[in-house]
Amino acid sequence: MADSGRARKLSDRIQQIVATMLDTRIKDPRLGFVTVTDVRVTGDLQHATVFYTVLGDDEARVDSAAALESARGLIRSEVGKQTGIRLTPTLEFVLDAVPETAAHLEDALRKAAEHDAELARLREGAAYAGEADPYKKPAADDGSSEA
């Protein structure tokens, strides 16, 4: 088993290699504007999962996924050459859900802000149901004390 530091370094290096390959060497016309967001390597360094996002619509995502699958062997070969490790990890490309998650979170934050603004509007015209200070206070001394 490799230590987590080595796996982390290898995943960072694989991310750099794959991003460079997609930018310079892969000339597939189906490949859209792809960004490699993360790479996770298993503890035994045998498998690497490459997470990516694609700028565009669903058709661009499908085309880019097909282009990455067809270029997987070339990319893995280059990863093996540039990392110099004994066993080159297998590569799996997974579409990252970061943009959809971010959009969902932004929508939830917008709804929460609207709800807070509505509560603030309702609070402006509100009045106390009873007295302003509902807590009992001791009776005021009138200065005469019985001893």
Side-chain angles (χ1 to χ4, degrees), residues 30-41:
R30 298 175 294 176
L31 192 63
F33 188 71
V34 176
T35 303
V36 178
T37 56
D38 192 20
V39 175
R40 295 190 186 144
V41 178

Side-chain angles (χ1 to χ4, degrees), residues 7-131:
R8 187 173 46 252
K9 287 178 185 177
L10 182 62
S11 66
D12 289 344
R13 184 68 183 130
I14 290 173
Q15 183 174 359
Q16 292 171 352
I17 294 168
V18 171
T20 304
M21 288 281 297
L22 294 177
D23 189 35
T24 59
R25 299 230 355 241
I26 307 299
K27 301 297 181 192
D28 195 330
R30 298 175 294 176
L31 192 63
F33 188 71
V34 176
T35 303
V36 178
T37 56
D38 192 20
V39 175
R40 295 190 186 144
V41 178
T42 58
D44 59 357
L45 308 177
Q46 296 297 310
H47 183 73
T49 305
V50 179
F51 293 93
Y52 67 95
T53 60
V54 178
L55 184 66
D57 57 352
D58 289 334
E59 183 180 348
R61 290 183 185 120
V62 170
D63 290 344
S64 295
L68 287 172
E69 280 301 313
S70 67
R72 184 187 343 191
L74 178 65
I75 296 171
R76 182 174 182 226
S77 169
E78 190 65 27
V79 165
K81 288 176 188 174
Q82 291 192 24
T83 57
I85 57 177
R86 186 171 60 93
L87 296 172
T88 304
T90 60
L91 299 178
E92 176 186 8
F93 291 97
V94 176
L95 184 63
D96 202 352
V98 169
E100 291 83 14
T101 304
H104 175 70
L105 288 176
E106 287 177 5
D107 186 45
L109 289 172
R110 182 187 50 77
K111 287 180 182 177
E114 289 174 358
H115 186 66
D116 287 347
E118 180 184 341
L119 287 177
R121 280 193 304 273
L122 291 173
R123 197 177 310 130
E124 288 174 0
Y128 292 108
E131 297 177 19

